[in-house]
Amino acid sequence: MRSRRVRRAGRRMTAVVGATVLVALAACTADGGGDGEVDGLEQTAGSMETFEADQQFKATEPVNFSMLWTDWPESPIKDSWQLFDEIEERTNVSLDLTNIPFSDAVEKRSLLLSAGDAPYIIPLIYTGDERSFAASGAVLPLSDYEEYMPNFQKYVEEWDLRPMIDNLRQADGKYYMMPGLQEVSVPVFTLLVRKDVFDEVGAPIPQTWDELRTGLEKIKAKYPDSYPLADGFEGASMLNYASHAFGTRAGWGFGDGTFFDEESGEFVYAGTSDGYRDMVEYFRGLVDDGLLDPESFTATNDGAGTVTEKFAGEKVFAASGSNGTVQEFSTALDETVGKGNHEVVQIAPLGGEAGQVVEPRNFWHGFMVNAEAKDDPHFIAMLQFLDWLYYNPDAREMLQWGVEGETYTKSDDGKFTLEPGYSLDSFNINFEAGTDIEKDLGFASQVLAGGTESRALKESYNSPQFVEYIDSVLSTRTPRDPFPPAPLNEAELEQASLLTTTLTDTVNTNTLKFILGERDLSEWDAYVAELEGQNLQGYLDLVNGAHKRFAESNG
């Protein structure tokens, strides 16, 4: 097995501090490479002369590319991982990894880029992560090189994602990250409910937040010592998926705080909108009536008294979670109420005054490329390799399942089965049967797997219940239209960052106070005035000015 050079980023950055990030990023080329001329057309060493969608990429000579790797606490990287050897065997590409810990990955990534020490390939990038690096020119405008990525182009068109790709464009009209592409758009976190208990009290599975309240009231009457509803993520998860039904943004999805108002054609501030107030009032009512565990907004799902423990103890009957949480809750209930005596299901996001809408989620984590890579003799080979790695169906299957005939088999009807002696414990597949293909072999990794997925691949490793959840979302919910682009330039980004830090902190603090009853809703106007005193209008002027400028420049 070929050894791999794994570098620990912390050893190279001990003298770099936060202020250096701003200075060094500002010192990078300000135009982001966006002069309309594509460099690197002659940097063809190792590249395939013809490279088409769904074709196996293999460099014409051995090449080595540097990549940033985030170490997940549950599955820290091992030099013996088969994943990297399989990539090398198929592509003739070896990877020189720089490792950073998950706990401070965002900060470490920024420090590496600012210090000029970043690897060429920077994975695990979500939309928005690239903005500051794009404005400073630290990363490449990948839209300039799309012609070298036929798999990306094919699936963007087949899955009708071009409008969303165009929304990634920055102030110069170019986009600087390539996202993971999802064929189907379904929220990862929604509400999990004890269906058997809802059935017991005569409450149907709710379709709206008002229907949920009715069901919770019936459960409270049957189980008076319970708080039927809870969130194990300090409220941030529940407010995120609830906010869309109220026509706003909140919690994990609050982002920069803006929400595009179709009627006015301008961005407004979510945290001061009527929908946000209605959402806060709704959850305040649940707390007042003992239907929502107030610890949901102050505690996380770890340690004593977790939501999982409360679910197992029949103190909670509905809570935030993902497909994996369904299994976690079910396993806990097996120990307390017995197998076969409960049914936990994940339900489609609830509707409300804004309709039966969900957040568009056709993008997942993708990658950026260090601007220095364009001068590498193997630059075109790198683009072809990334296109294969991130968008080729065979590559995506390998990244998730390993090697066909060795770690898994695939039937004629597309069903994946792990071979005896192999498990994927994080998805409860052959749990603890032997070699975990994620922890022991590197497949199904949080860094590379799961970014781009066809519906079939997504369903292949999830439970039948999650497939039912996908069907329910696709058949009953409508994705909200993506917001139009409003990319800020470098100076505006710095100004906006200062403003949003203060504004978001005020929103989060007062959202908690309003919901928990520590501040009366009669003080809503005073809260709005506090935000206005923090130059809220100046921030909105920045965003709407950028929106108008981009529209005028790009048609």
Side-chain angles (χ1 to χ4, degrees), residues 28-46:
C28 295
T29 305
D31 64 5
D35 59 4
E37 295 186 9
V38 178
D39 293 325
L41 291 176
E42 297 181 357
Q43 316 286 58
T44 59

Side-chain angles (χ1 to χ4, degrees), residues 460-527:
S460 71
Y461 60 90
N462 279 299
S463 66
Q465 292 82 4
F466 188 72
V467 175
E468 292 177 8
Y469 165 71
I470 292 175
D471 288 335
S472 70
V473 174
L474 296 180
S475 62
T476 64
R477 303 296 188 261
T478 301
R480 169 182 54 74
D481 289 336
F483 298 148
L488 304 175
N489 62 35
E490 188 174 10
E492 291 168 339
L493 277 170
E494 184 173 353
Q495 184 179 357
S497 177
L498 295 173
L499 290 172
T500 54
T501 298
T502 302
L503 292 168
T504 302
D505 181 65
T506 299
V507 171
N508 290 339
T509 299
N510 285 281
T511 297
L512 177 67
K513 288 182 177 180
F514 282 130
I515 290 175
L516 295 183
E518 297 171 4
R519 186 171 188 179
D520 196 271
L521 281 166
S522 63
E523 296 185 33
W524 180 265
D525 290 344
Y527 150 74

Side-chain angles (χ1 to χ4, degrees), residues 112-424:
L112 283 165
L113 277 164
S114 69
D117 289 334
Y120 282 168
I121 302 169
I122 307 168
L124 213 63
I125 300 299
Y126 294 87
T127 55
D129 290 350
E130 81 281 15
R131 290 172 185 164
S132 62
F133 307 117
S136 67
V139 296
L140 287 178
L142 292 175
S143 54
D144 282 351
Y145 307 100
E146 187 180 308
E147 65 180 289
Y148 298 102
M149 308 189 80
N151 289 288
F152 173 80
Q153 291 178 317
K154 175 181 177 178
Y155 292 101
V156 164
E157 301 307 321
E158 283 194 7
W159 296 344
D160 195 23
L161 300 178
R162 181 58 63 184
M164 294 184 70
I165 294 292
D166 288 339
N167 282 353
L168 295 176
R169 297 184 185 277
Q170 302 300 312
D172 59 1
K174 301 172 183 288
Y175 59 83
Y176 288 75
M177 66 90 68
M178 281 193 164
L181 307 177
Q182 297 279 304
E183 183 179 8
V184 293
S185 174
V186 292
V188 176
F189 278 78
T190 57
L191 200 63
L192 314 183
V193 302
R194 278 281 300 273
K195 183 180 183 299
D196 57 299
V197 174
F198 273 75
D199 291 343
E200 176 189 356
V201 301
I205 294 298
Q207 299 298 313
T208 67
W209 286 97
D210 286 342
E211 290 179 9
L212 174 66
R213 183 184 232 286
T214 300
L216 297 177
E217 289 170 347
K218 292 181 177 182
I219 293 174
K220 182 74 172 180
K222 176 74 175 180
Y223 298 88
D225 294 333
S226 72
Y227 286 110
L229 179 65
D231 183 89
F233 306 93
E234 297 179 304
S237 175
M238 187 174 295
L239 292 180
N240 175 35
Y241 59 77
S243 64
H244 305 290
F246 291 88
T248 189
R249 302 169 71 184
W252 283 340
F254 191 70
D256 65 4
T258 61
F259 193 95
F260 190 72
D261 179 56
E262 295 285 350
E263 186 173 338
S264 66
E266 292 187 336
F267 284 90
V268 298
Y269 197 62
T272 61
S273 66
D274 291 341
Y276 200 95
R277 190 190 190 285
D278 291 344
M279 179 192 68
V280 167
E281 187 173 13
Y282 173 86
F283 284 105
R284 169 68 172 272
L286 295 184
V287 171
D288 286 346
D289 293 344
L291 303 175
L292 172 60
D293 186 351
E295 290 187 357
S296 297
F297 295 88
T298 58
T300 56
N301 197 22
D302 52 27
T306 66
V307 172
T308 302
E309 291 175 348
K310 293 175 181 178
F311 223 91
E314 298 197 301
K315 299 297 183 181
V316 166
F317 300 93
S320 298
S322 64
N323 179 45
T325 321
V326 172
Q327 182 61 45
E328 181 182 337
F329 287 172
S330 297
T331 300
L333 284 164
D334 287 344
E335 299 296 323
T336 56
V337 304
K339 291 184 178 181
N341 296 325
H342 58 82
E343 184 179 5
V344 182
V345 297
Q346 183 174 13
I347 65 175
L350 300 176
E353 58 194 53
Q356 304 285 78
V357 297
V358 293
E359 180 185 12
R361 293 300 297 270
N362 289 95
F363 290 165
W364 204 229
H365 58 79
F367 64 93
M368 301 185 299
V369 175
N370 188 330
E372 296 176 358
K374 70 179 184 299
D375 298 322
D376 191 284
H378 300 94
F379 178 54
I380 300 304
M382 180 186 300
L383 295 175
Q384 292 176 342
F385 167 72
L386 287 171
D387 183 57
W388 174 84
L389 185 70
Y390 272 84
Y391 306 111
N392 178 284
D394 290 338
R396 302 313 300 173
E397 187 174 302
M398 177 271 292
L399 291 173
Q400 180 63 48
W401 286 98
V403 181
E404 187 171 8
E406 180 179 336
T407 61
Y408 75 97
T409 58
K410 184 179 180 182
S411 65
D412 292 338
D413 62 357
K415 179 178 174 57
F416 290 76
T417 303
L418 282 178
E419 292 279 28
Y422 292 97
S423 69
L424 181 53

